[in-house]
Amino acid sequence: MSKPILVIKFGTASITRENGDLDETVIAGIARQVAELHEAYHIVLVSSGAVAAGRQFMKHYGGTISERKAAAAIGNPLLLNKYSRYFAPYGIAVAQSLCERQHFSGREQFLQLKRTYEELWANNIIPIANENDVVSSTELKFSDNDELATLIAVGFGASLLLFSTSVAGVLDREGKVVKQIDEIDQQALGLADKEKSALGLGGMVSKLTFARLATRMGIRVVIFGIRTTDGILQAMKGDTGTLCLPQPCSIPARRKWLASGSLVTGRVLIDAGAQEALEKRHSLLAVGVKEILEKFEGGEVIEIVNEQNIAIAVGRAKLSSDVLEQNGKQQNTEVAHADDIVLL
């Protein structure tokens, strides 16, 4: 691509008022700042807020799954209309992109999505992505739009991913913004207070979890407060929020897709010896699998966790979990080849 790719995610708490209504002042500010960046970047906006925009039209809204889907159906065109209205003065058109998890789990579907975005960018149009809540199944939905933004950023090879929040950034125990995180390890993840950061469906736990994946795929991530003056522009320069530094990464696009976009269907727990072998870029052998946590079929993508129950890799299984249980102790039985394993 002729320009670097920038993905910016806006959560429900970022673009709504306390009563749940869309905050048009924030949306107007988004349009103004993004317009300044439009010439220099191919931009994807990932925006929540459809349910918030639509639920006011429903009688006795209670937040059930069917009610949320109905509210999303009402709110999606309303949300896009707001963005379209505030981008119009800058001569920028926007397009709606309602995504489902399966669009990323299948390589061909993912590449079609990518080609569609490239066509939009070629015509100077900004895609605005959101989960297709109206039809997404509860089993195959995104955990939240933080995941959707990360899958787009990793899959499309973005250079920068911005997560906007209703707070100023990642806060330390004294409530001060952490300016920079060199590597998102367990200590960094511990900064997210699960009780105090329940923003929408995500929160700071979600943002740091997906920022960890993005940075390990070589993407710079900034978590910043949307209500900071010129927050987007300041975050681009690293002058506000929390900068999460990218880690060295040279893996090809297909394996990046495997690490982020593939739909994980199974999980295995491995021992320390197997973990050491994976870190040396060897294949996963059955002898190193201590437990099958979730069943899978041959050819499906599995998550590989260590003895501390931390996900350390994903890989494409060569055999099913049933076959693994039956023949697992045979010497040199290969569960996943090194070329089909990506360390996280």
Side-chain angles (χ1 to χ4, degrees), residues 196-255:
K196 295 181 179 179
S197 58
L199 313 173
L201 290 177
M204 201 58 73
V205 173
S206 171
K207 286 170 181 57
L208 282 172
T209 298
F210 288 109
R212 179 174 182 262
L213 172 59
T215 55
R216 292 195 172 196
M217 295 296 111
I219 300 171
R220 188 161 60 102
V221 178
V222 181
I223 302 171
F224 72 101
I226 190 61
R227 288 176 172 80
T228 303
T229 302
D230 287 339
I232 297 172
L233 299 176
Q234 294 299 316
M236 292 290 296
K237 297 185 290 186
D239 291 341
T240 191
T242 301
L243 169 63
C244 304
L245 293 180
Q247 305 302 302
C249 179
S250 59
I251 66 176
R254 190 190 72 82
R255 293 179 66 199

Side-chain angles (χ1 to χ4, degrees), residues 80-340:
L80 194 71
N81 180 266
K82 295 295 184 186
Y83 278 110
S84 181
R85 172 185 169 190
Y86 286 106
F87 272 105
Y90 305 100
I92 299 174
V94 298
Q96 187 171 56
S97 172
L98 295 179
C99 300
E100 299 172 46
R101 192 65 178 79
Q102 64 189 27
H103 296 151
F104 293 86
S105 60
R107 181 70 173 159
E108 287 304 314
Q109 281 188 296
F110 166 73
L111 291 175
Q112 181 59 62
L113 178 67
K114 187 175 182 180
R115 286 191 289 268
T116 300
Y117 276 34
E118 289 171 351
E119 190 65 36
L120 292 171
W121 291 329
N123 288 276
N124 292 316
I125 298 169
I126 295 177
I128 300 180
N130 193 6
E131 178 164 16
N132 192 356
D133 287 314
V134 178
V135 297
S136 290
S137 71
T138 54
E139 291 82 10
L140 297 179
K141 66 187 279 85
F142 300 104
S143 58
D144 53 53
N145 271 344
D146 295 332
E147 180 181 13
L148 173 56
T150 303
L151 296 186
I152 292 173
V154 173
F156 289 17
S159 59
L160 181 59
L161 170 61
L162 304 183
F163 287 122
S164 78
T165 74
S166 58
V167 294
V170 180
L171 306 180
D172 62 19
R173 296 304 177 193
E174 285 71 47
K176 297 179 181 179
V177 174
V178 178
K179 295 294 185 182
Q180 182 172 303
I181 299 177
D182 294 339
E183 181 180 2
I184 302 177
D185 52 16
Q186 288 303 115
Q187 182 178 356
L189 290 170
L191 293 170
D193 190 321
K194 296 181 182 180
E195 297 300 321
K196 295 181 179 179
S197 58
L199 313 173
L201 290 177
M204 201 58 73
V205 173
S206 171
K207 286 170 181 57
L208 282 172
T209 298
F210 288 109
R212 179 174 182 262
L213 172 59
T215 55
R216 292 195 172 196
M217 295 296 111
I219 300 171
R220 188 161 60 102
V221 178
V222 181
I223 302 171
F224 72 101
I226 190 61
R227 288 176 172 80
T228 303
T229 302
D230 287 339
I232 297 172
L233 299 176
Q234 294 299 316
M236 292 290 296
K237 297 185 290 186
D239 291 341
T240 191
T242 301
L243 169 63
C244 304
L245 293 180
Q247 305 302 302
C249 179
S250 59
I251 66 176
R254 190 190 72 82
R255 293 179 66 199
K256 284 187 178 182
W257 166 79
L258 181 66
S260 60
S262 297
L263 191 62
V264 172
T265 56
R267 295 174 70 235
V268 296
L269 175 69
I270 64 172
D271 60 27
Q275 178 175 350
E276 184 178 354
L278 293 188
E279 290 171 350
K280 293 179 179 178
R281 301 303 309 139
H282 296 312
S283 300
L284 174 62
L285 301 181
V287 68
V289 176
K290 295 183 66 175
E291 184 179 355
I292 297 170
L293 303 176
E294 294 179 24
K295 288 184 172 294
F296 52 90
E297 297 296 327
E300 292 184 332
V301 177
I302 60 174
E303 185 176 66
I304 302 167
V305 302
N306 64 12
E307 292 176 323
Q308 288 73 48
N309 202 35
I310 297 172
I312 61 168
V314 295
R316 190 174 297 280
K318 295 185 66 176
L319 43 75
S320 70
S321 53
D322 289 340
V323 172
L324 177 59
E325 286 180 329
Q326 295 168 9
N327 306 309
K329 299 309 175 184
Q330 290 186 9
Q331 191 172 9
N332 296 328
T333 298
E334 197 172 65
V335 179
H337 191 274
D339 291 342
D340 288 327

